[in-house]
Amino acid sequence: MIIVMKPQADKRDVEHIVHMIEEKGLTAHLSEGSEVTIIGVVGDKSRLSASNLEIASGVDKIIPVTESYKLANRKFHPEPTIVSVGATEIGPNNLTIMSGPCAIESEEQLLATARAVKAAGANILRGGAYKPRTSPYSFQGLEEEGLRYMKTAREETGMAVVCEVTSAKAIEAAVKYVDMLQIGARNMQNFELLKEAGKTGLPVLLKRGLSSTIDEWLNAAEYIIAEGNYNVVLCERGIRTYETATRNTLDLSAVPVIRAKSHLPIIVDPSHATGVRAYVAPLAKAAVAAGADGLMIETHPCPERALSDGPQSLTFDQFQELCTELRPYAALAGRTF
Ligand code: PEP
Ligand code: MN
């Protein structure tokens, strides 16, 4: 449930309600807006009497929260969350572009890509060091060596860097090198991994599972936030449907749906959603028009030589062109880019 305080409620009224919640062994989460304070309750609410709370001083109303995710819920936290990654603020004011290769293949490949995407306007460098491949015989990533190259790229370009982590061991290594952890689609419901990522306190980019509902996705975010880490950014990357013309089907409706249900920022990855280079730019523009807070786009110095996801990777020129084309869309959406 959430308890909405009256505009004239004072600090003592709020403290009293928090005390009533905590003495029953539940947790209170405060969201102090410009007009009113909202107190979210997490725990077994059968121990609390809503009618007693309703008559307490300063209380306006009690609203039940029927969704199982609470901390990720917009009802708990009506203001949009802004997640800072390095110098970039991911949220309603900006269009954040994350770009880079699917997999880190060598220092030269990564540095060349970092320089090119930065020059085109990207804010955050992406690159996979631990690759969750469908086949065990496909390139699995450079692991810690790849993370070291990411750190070098960050030092050289000043860009923040994001890397996928696929295990607790990968998290242990990644925290030494990266600014943001990525949880991939295949691990969206790896709850132990979500908890470990939450505990690091680093911003987490949480991709939507291959066949996950929005409800399951927000519950996955809840696992991270429940560790005290509100720095979660959601990423729609396409879902499985009967359609085979694209690698996945981009669920663009996820953008307004997430906006209605959660305060967390949401970005869109048209590269993995389509699997086809030619479809990346139109869907990137559509995502901005739909209200996405950012984009994740794969780029490669020479896509035909890429060790993974070459067919969906943009060349540097194509990425530069896309960024130029995106500027009026960002301006229309009221975002700085
Ligand atoms: C990736 O971003 O490199 C990736 C593997 O994406 P996803 O988890 O969305 O498939
Ligand atoms: Mn990829």
Side-chain angles (χ1 to χ4, degrees):
M1 69 173 78
I2 60 168
I3 299 151
V4 182
M5 302 302 286
K6 290 179 178 153
Q8 63 270 30
D10 61 23
K11 205 166 155 256
R12 280 191 27 228
D13 293 332
V14 174
E15 279 168 7
H16 177 58
I17 299 296
V18 170
H19 179 70
M20 284 175 81
I21 294 166
E22 290 178 347
E23 72 179 358
K24 300 285 181 192
L26 293 103
T27 320
H29 291 266
L30 256 60
S31 174
E32 288 171 79
S34 51
E35 301 273 298
V36 294
T37 296
I38 287 171
I39 306 169
V41 184
V42 177
D44 178 5
K45 59 182 183 301
S46 66
R47 298 198 220 156
L48 263 185
S49 156
S51 46
N52 281 357
L53 284 169
E54 217 153 31
I55 54 168
S57 170
V59 172
D60 182 12
K61 58 185 171 201
I62 312 277
I63 301 174
V65 177
T66 47
E67 297 88 357
S68 50
Y69 55 88
K70 311 289 180 192
L71 306 174
N73 202 311
R74 180 141 215 156
K75 289 177 191 156
F76 262 55
H77 192 293
E79 306 293 326
T81 287
I82 295 174
V83 175
S84 294
V85 183
T88 302
E89 291 197 335
I90 308 176
N93 303 325
N94 303 314
L95 180 70
T96 301
I97 310 282
M98 305 183 187
S99 188
C102 178
I104 302 159
E105 297 167 5
S106 67
E107 190 169 30
E108 302 70 50
Q109 171 242 21
L110 187 67
L111 288 177
T113 310
R115 288 178 202 124
V117 298
K118 185 184 179 187
N123 315 92
I124 296 175
L125 178 68
R126 66 144 285 146
Y130 301 87
K131 294 307 301 174
R133 306 303 298 280
T134 301
S135 162
Y137 308 118
S138 301
F139 177 57
Q140 302 286 309
L142 296 181
E143 303 189 346
E144 194 156 351
E145 184 189 346
L147 294 174
R148 276 197 289 275
Y149 300 156
M150 274 303 228
K151 195 169 173 210
T152 308
R154 175 175 61 179
E155 281 161 4
E156 199 198 289
T157 62
M159 265 203 268
V161 298
V162 56
C163 248
E164 178 169 354
V165 284
T166 49
S167 64
K169 196 167 154 244
I171 291 181
E172 215 179 294
V175 294
K176 295 183 269 172
Y177 304 98
V178 306
D179 303 283
M180 185 181 214
L181 303 174
Q182 176 174 322
I183 302 284
R186 289 154 195 81
N187 276 310
M188 190 207 83
Q189 283 191 316
N190 183 340
F191 301 117
E192 292 309 313
L193 192 66
L194 296 173
K195 287 188 225 169
E196 290 304 316
K199 283 184 195 139
T200 65
L202 279 182
V204 178
L205 181 67
L206 178 64
K207 290 193 138 194
R208 182 176 181 179
L210 304 175
S211 301
S212 297
T213 64
I214 287 186
D215 203 73
E216 288 164 340
W217 189 14
L218 288 173
N219 272 294
E222 187 84 5
Y223 267 92
I224 300 167
I225 306 175
E227 296 297 332
N229 185 352
Y230 269 87
N231 300 311
V232 179
V233 177
L234 301 167
C235 178
E236 163 62 41
R237 46 77 72 206
I239 49 173
R240 285 232 165 131
T241 68
Y242 52 80
E243 183 54 72
T244 54
T246 46
R247 184 174 175 183
N248 293 289
T249 298
L250 178 61
D251 178 13
L252 213 45
S253 60
V255 176
V257 173
I258 288 290
R259 189 75 72 222
K261 291 179 180 288
S262 179
H263 52 87
L264 297 173
I266 173 162
I267 71 161
V268 169
D269 171 354
S271 304
H272 291 90
T274 62
V276 180
R277 184 176 309 130
Y279 306 153
V280 169
L283 290 175
K285 294 172 195 165
V288 178
D293 297 305
L295 296 164
M296 172 171 265
I297 292 167
E298 285 187 341
T299 43
H300 195 282
C302 186
E304 62 271 32
R305 287 181 191 273
L307 297 182
S308 66
D309 288 349
Q312 70 198 32
S313 299
L314 302 189
T315 63
F316 297 163
D317 285 349
Q318 287 164 339
F319 180 70
Q320 158 83 62
E321 196 182 327
L322 172 58
C323 287
T324 305
E325 288 174 5
L326 281 172
R327 288 187 195 279
Y329 287 81
L332 264 178
R335 293 173 184 275
T336 305
F337 167 49

